[in-house]
Every structure is written in C-alpha cells, then in structure tokens.
Amino acid sequence: MKRSARPVRLAILLLAGLGLSACATPPAATRAEAPARPAWALVIHGGAGVMDRETMGPETEASYRAAMQAALARGRAVLDTGGTSLEAVIAVVRGLEDDPRFNAGKGAVFTADGRNELDAAIMDGATLKAGAVAGITGTKNPITLARAVMEKSPHVMLIGAGAEKFGQQAGVEQADAAWFFTERRWQSLKKTLKEKGLPVPARPAGVGPEPVPLAAADMPFEDRKYGTVGVVALDNAGHVAAGTSTGGTTAKLWGRVGDVPIIGAGTYANDKSCAVSATGTGEYFIRLGVARAICDLVELKGMSLQQAADEVIQARLTALGGDGGIVAVTPDGQVAWSFNTSGMYRARQVAGGEPLVGIFKGEP
C-alpha cells in the first residue's frame, strides 16, 4: 500500500513558515556559542594592604613584580606540561613560602611570644577534598603539610603540636626556628611590642645576636599589608584548586587563627562554581565566609566571576568594615581579582595569553 506524502508536505510547509528548510541548521546568529575554555588558567596573590609607589620605592616595586613573575612561571611550568591544578597550587605556594619578601613560611611575621606560627589550606575542586593546618612552628612548607592532611588523614584540619606530629609521621620536611627568621620581621615585632607597652621576648635560638648597626634592609617598617600568599588554578582537565598560606599578623596573641585555614572563608574550590584564595583582615573574611560566598553567587545566582567577587569584596566586606582581597578562577576559564585596599600583589595568566602583574589600585 502506497504511503501518503501529505504529512511530509505539511512538515515542509510548517518549516517554510518558520523560515527554515527541512535540512537546514539554524542560522549562526541564532546559535549561542560559548567562548572556548583556555587550556589552563592561573591567578596568584601575595597579600593586600596599604601600598603606594611613593613609599614603596622603585627597587622594592621591581623586586615584588619579579617575585610575582617567578611565581607565575612555576605554575605555568606545571600546567603547560599537563600537570594538575593541585600540583600547580603546591608549586606556586611553596615558592612563595620560601621567599622572605612574603608573610608565609620563611619571612613570616612573629607572634608576641617571638615565634612564627603558620597557617595554610588547600582544596581540590574536583573532589571537594581539603586539608588545613594552623599554629604550625616546625614545618618548612605549611602548604605541603595541608596537602598531607587532605591526602593522608581522615581529617580536614589539624592544629599545633598534633599537626606537627602528624607531619613528621607523614614525612613532611621540618625546619627549625632559624629557617623562618628574618631580621626585618624581628625588628617590626620589637617596634610593635614597644608601641603597645609589651615585653620583647628573647631572640629565637640559632639566629645569632642582633646586628649593630642595623642594615637598611633590616630596618623595621610600618607593616600595613597582609602578606598572605595564595593561588587558584584551572588545569587541562577542567578542574580547579585553591591554596593559601600565611604567617598571620605581627605580635598576635592567644594563638589567634585567621581565615586562611578556614575552608569557605579564606580558601575554597569547587568544580561546580569556582576556586578562591583570600588575603586581608581574617576575622571579617571568616564572618562573611568570603570564598564560599563568591562561589555560591557564581553557581546559584549565575553571576560572572568578576561580578560575584566585586559583590562580596567591594560591597559586603566593605560594608562590614573589613579590608583585603581575593583571586579566583572558574572551571570555564574566567579569572578575577578584587580588593578594597590601595594595593594587592597579584598576577594572572591564561594559556595562550600574556602574563599580567599588578601591585597598585588602578592597574589592569
């Protein structure tokens, strides 16, 4: 029995009425084409605070710009060769922890008791696994210990002596007090304690006597910046990760811990939204849950990464009276930073693009 052609003719007429042919694809103008995701992306910070060219000086400015370029190079070397975002985070943060210019690891600020107490955290956006440590005094690279907590323990956060013991059992490299010591940070501690009318503790063992006279490089300075270091990364597989490390605040008391090791406050990563690393007055970042708040705005409100970052930093944090900034990246390759201070050491690069380094507000 011959099949009627009427249904076919009706379909063709309907398509013609819509301005389409039976075999045509929609015109290019009607197709929403998402921009191609870069193979990888990397965003780094080295602390935010009061920074201006006049007081910083050209040599110091050039030194910090070179340090941020070197940090980008370490992360780029991992991501360009197919390494994971987690590996890139570790490579970048370890290097910054070993750089005495930054308040993390070697060169960290001193507590009122004359110790370096270090905090760090890392998070894998693919698995939501995280590791954090606080009050660390004998681990050379706290970010490595944070990773060990994530990968070799059933816990998310370990603190103080227990964290140190775990690190020793896990084979994490240790260091004595002399490794973290820098004369300039020590002189800053002395200056701060004298201003507060507090006693100055004995110099740490193994660092030798105080030089007399002090060299210009050892003179105390007004520490009006937050030297926390951090990085967020996107790898070739589309996974994001975040890591942050800090020495806290000069002359801190009572075992104070800031936002860095608090997952969701100073550090957060999720492949469904974004990865964020923060720097600033930690108490405010904890109260606002800054890192997680930015990612929630991206995932639940559909905001662009930059819009979400500015909403939390420029609006919410500023309204609460807090100061600082963040760096962030999404799984689709958006990168952003936002800060409400006069400066933030920062750098970013995406695959195929040029590196971008900034310090002061108003730079790209």
Side-chain angles (χ1 to χ4, degrees):
M1 182 176 176
K2 187 176 181 180
R3 183 175 296 171
S4 170
R6 187 177 180 186
V8 176
R9 288 196 299 271
L10 285 173
I12 293 173
L13 289 172
L14 286 171
L15 289 169
L18 293 172
L20 303 172
S21 69
C23 59
T25 57
T30 68
R31 297 195 302 270
E33 296 183 0
R37 176 180 71 81
W40 55 262
L42 187 67
V43 198
I44 304 166
H45 73 75
V50 179
M51 303 174 191
D52 56 77
R53 284 188 172 90
E54 290 72 22
T55 58
M56 180 173 289
E59 290 185 3
T60 300
E61 177 183 341
S63 173
Y64 276 99
R65 290 187 186 276
M68 297 308 289
Q69 287 280 10
L72 274 179
R74 288 191 297 273
R76 184 170 60 239
V78 173
L79 297 169
D80 254 344
T81 54
T84 68
S85 55
L86 203 66
E87 291 167 341
V89 164
I90 291 290
V92 173
V93 176
R94 279 179 61 95
L96 293 171
E97 287 175 336
D98 291 344
D99 189 330
R101 282 168 287 208
F102 299 97
N103 176 20
K106 185 177 182 64
V109 300
F110 289 90
T111 68
D113 292 334
R115 303 197 311 166
N116 303 110
E117 291 184 358
L118 314 172
D119 306 333
I122 192 166
M123 188 167 184
D124 181 1
T127 62
L128 297 188
K129 289 183 178 179
V133 293
I136 301 305
T137 60
T139 299
K140 182 175 180 290
N141 292 106
I143 194 68
T144 304
L145 180 55
R147 184 180 188 180
V149 171
M150 178 178 71
E151 296 179 341
K152 299 180 180 181
S153 86
H155 309 299
V156 170
M157 181 185 289
L158 297 178
I159 66 170
E164 303 273 17
K165 183 176 181 179
F166 166 79
Q168 293 166 8
Q169 294 175 347
V172 177
E173 186 177 2
Q174 304 296 294
D176 58 25
W179 161 256
F180 304 104
F181 181 91
T182 55
E183 191 64 48
R184 192 164 196 175
R185 294 294 193 189
W186 183 257
Q187 294 301 324
S188 292
L189 172 67
K190 288 178 61 177
K191 178 175 180 285
T192 301
L193 291 176
K194 288 177 180 178
E195 289 171 350
K196 294 182 176 182
L198 297 173
V200 176
R203 285 169 71 86
V207 303
E210 183 172 306
V212 179
L214 288 174
D218 295 333
M219 293 297 289
F221 56 96
E222 187 176 359
D223 195 358
R224 298 180 295 165
K225 69 180 190 310
Y226 311 100
T228 298
V229 303
V231 57
V232 293
L234 165 70
D235 60 28
N236 283 278
H239 301 310
V240 296
T244 318
S245 182
T246 188
T249 58
T250 300
K252 66 182 179 181
L253 300 167
W254 312 304
R256 178 261 186 189
V257 176
D259 63 304
V260 165
I262 309 299
I263 301 303
T267 309
Y268 191 73
N270 188 336
D271 278 0
K272 292 183 178 180
S273 52
C274 64
V276 176
S277 175
T279 173
T281 307
E283 284 72 14
Y284 293 92
F285 282 72
I286 294 171
R287 290 159 63 189
L288 284 171
V290 162
R292 178 63 185 269
I294 292 170
C295 292
D296 283 348
L297 290 175
V298 171
E299 179 182 3
L300 305 177
K301 295 291 187 179
M303 285 188 179
S304 72
L305 184 61
Q306 191 65 61
Q307 288 174 327
D310 288 341
E311 163 62 25
V312 175
I313 298 301
Q314 306 300 331
R316 300 181 189 182
L317 180 67
T318 302
L320 198 62
D323 54 354
I326 62 93
V327 295
V329 66
T330 61
D332 64 5
Q334 297 177 63
V335 294
W337 52 49
S338 187
F339 55 97
N340 65 358
T341 54
S342 62
M344 182 172 76
Y345 299 121
R346 59 198 188 274
R348 71 189 189 195
Q349 187 172 10
V350 298
E354 292 297 316
L356 181 64
V357 173
I359 297 177
F360 310 109
K361 187 179 285 292
E363 294 185 88

